[in-house]
Amino acid sequence: MTEKVLVLGGTGLLGHATVRELVSRGYRVVSLALPPMPTEDLFEEFGDAVQSHLGDVGSMSDQELLELLEDCHAVMYAIGADERTLPAAPAARFFYEANVLPTQRLAALARGAGVKKFVVYGSYFAEFAETRPELDLKAHGYPLMRLLQEQVAFAEGDGAMEVTSLRLPYIFGTMPGRIPLWKMFVDRIRDVEVFPAHPEGRTAAVTTAQVGQAAVGAMERGEHRSTYAISGYDLAHAEFYETIVAALGQRTQVPLVPFEAVEDQMAAADREAAEQGLEHGISLRMSGLLRATDLSLDPAPTQSILGYEDDDVPAAIDETLRVVLRDDVE
């Protein structure tokens, strides 16, 4: 009998890419996501291979979740809050409640239901919190709680269920009915004359298709308690900003400016948030420092393990921007 996989967040950008990859490999999929559907026919192309359910994991009872978990081989955990959220201070408490506790609950229920594999969709900020101690990212609530999210999931799986974590970088791609989150950068650059970048600023980047492939690879080939920081392209922030400028048809200048030139301004914005009782999951000053740092990753180690394919990330960036700008026109 074909194995069944529960995808939490199956109507989201990463969950939908995962559903597509699972179906292409012959799995049956149960999707659970928040309402409403982005488009009513989102899963129509997959026929009976996908069962779609709408609901809030946080408000569902254990029994309701156990019914969805029945006979599932694996759970793909593609839900949670990311660093764009600006919660009330302390931010660590917010991300603990949004990411850690629900993950622990689902992992415990999955283990009890006899699920064999559990994949957490995490963040590459957790990777750098471990591998770049000089950045002191563990002092910031979002990456700290991403690390804890992994550990509680691993602990719930010990001895019964193989749990792995994808540490995801910048992701580009589109899907029906969703506006890419990169609209926020388009809005920042639109109609401005100067948008500076930092000389050393680089990031890892992947396509949604690569995330889907890597996630299913982690399910099929990953080892318990392993983390996989994936990459498919070494993206300079200046390159990304210039691509947006070109897509907008503007003449915005993208000068290379050292972090020190904007550090005080970002620290002031953090103080302003604090005065309002708010705290970023990663402070604005630290976010600026990260954009001024080379955070590229060698894809080879994880690509060889998880088996995800090379893909055209610049083309995915272009397509993402076309969708954002088309939405603006509409």
Side-chain angles (χ1 to χ4, degrees):
M1 185 176 181
T2 305
E3 289 176 329
K4 183 170 67 172
V5 178
L6 174 62
V7 179
L8 300 175
T11 67
L13 188 67
L14 305 186
H16 184 257
T18 303
V19 169
R20 180 176 297 280
E21 184 63 25
L22 285 165
V23 172
S24 74
R25 300 193 193 190
Y27 292 96
R28 291 179 296 136
V29 176
V30 177
S31 167
L32 175 62
L34 291 170
M37 292 286 288
T39 61
E40 289 304 318
D41 61 349
L42 182 65
F43 297 126
E44 188 174 285
E45 64 179 295
F46 304 127
D48 294 337
V50 178
Q51 296 178 7
S52 178
H53 300 266
L54 297 179
D56 182 353
V57 168
S59 62
M60 294 175 70
S61 68
D62 287 358
Q63 185 57 42
E64 288 174 315
L65 291 170
L66 286 170
E67 289 174 4
L68 290 177
L69 288 164
E70 186 177 0
D71 297 327
C72 280
H73 170 70
V75 172
M76 316 299 276
Y77 193 92
I79 57 176
D82 65 28
E83 76 280 4
R84 291 171 296 159
T85 306
L86 177 55
R93 166 58 62 177
F94 170 83
F95 288 108
Y96 176 71
E97 294 176 348
N99 291 339
V100 179
L101 292 180
T103 303
Q104 185 173 27
R105 178 186 179 217
L106 261 295
L109 288 171
R111 183 195 69 239
V115 171
K116 299 304 181 185
K117 305 291 183 71
F118 193 100
V119 180
V120 176
Y121 291 53
S123 169
Y124 82 157
F125 292 121
E127 175 74 8
F128 300 124
E130 283 190 340
T131 64
R132 300 288 296 271
E134 74 279 9
L135 295 173
D136 198 24
L137 276 171
K138 292 181 182 180
H140 299 259
Y142 178 72
L144 181 64
M145 290 303 114
R146 280 298 196 181
L147 288 169
L148 185 56
Q149 177 190 30
E150 293 175 342
Q151 291 303 315
V152 298
F154 294 157
E156 290 294 344
D158 283 344
M161 181 174 68
E162 294 183 1
V163 182
T164 56
S165 179
L166 291 182
R167 292 177 169 179
L168 300 171
Y170 278 31
I171 303 165
F172 296 96
T174 63
M175 64 168 287
R178 299 279 188 203
I179 303 304
L181 63 86
W182 301 112
K183 184 179 187 301
M184 62 183 180
F185 275 96
V186 174
D187 291 342
R188 290 177 192 171
I189 294 176
R190 190 191 306 276
D191 297 328
V192 303
E193 296 182 358
V194 179
F195 196 88
H198 305 293
E200 303 301 320
R202 311 186 76 83
T203 184
V206 292
T207 67
T208 53
Q210 288 178 308
V211 173
Q213 293 166 6
V216 180
M219 181 193 77
E220 293 180 338
R221 304 161 63 172
E223 295 185 1
H224 179 54
R225 284 189 168 268
S226 292
T227 61
Y228 301 102
I230 68 171
S231 179
Y233 186 73
D234 177 5
L235 177 65
H237 290 289
E239 175 191 350
F240 181 40
Y241 303 157
E242 288 167 353
T243 302
I244 295 174
V245 169
L248 287 167
Q250 297 179 179
R251 294 185 177 180
T252 301
Q253 298 179 32
V254 184
L256 298 179
V257 175
F259 170 67
E260 290 75 18
V262 297
E263 182 176 9
D264 289 346
Q265 179 182 352
M266 292 181 171
D270 284 324
R271 291 193 293 272
E272 181 179 347
E275 290 169 359
Q276 299 174 34
L278 306 174
E279 183 182 22
H280 292 272
I282 300 176
S283 74
L284 294 179
R285 179 193 170 278
M286 175 56 68
S287 294
L289 177 60
L290 294 174
R291 288 194 295 273
T293 303
D294 185 348
L295 298 181
S296 57
L297 293 167
D298 179 5
T302 53
Q303 194 168 20
S304 64
I305 296 170
L306 303 183
Y308 64 93
E309 300 174 357
D310 293 332
D311 203 357
D312 191 340
V313 174
I317 294 173
D318 291 340
E319 173 61 20
T320 300
L321 295 177
R322 281 195 295 271
V323 169
V324 169
L325 295 176
R326 184 171 67 235
D327 178 71
D328 287 345
V329 171
E330 295 173 354

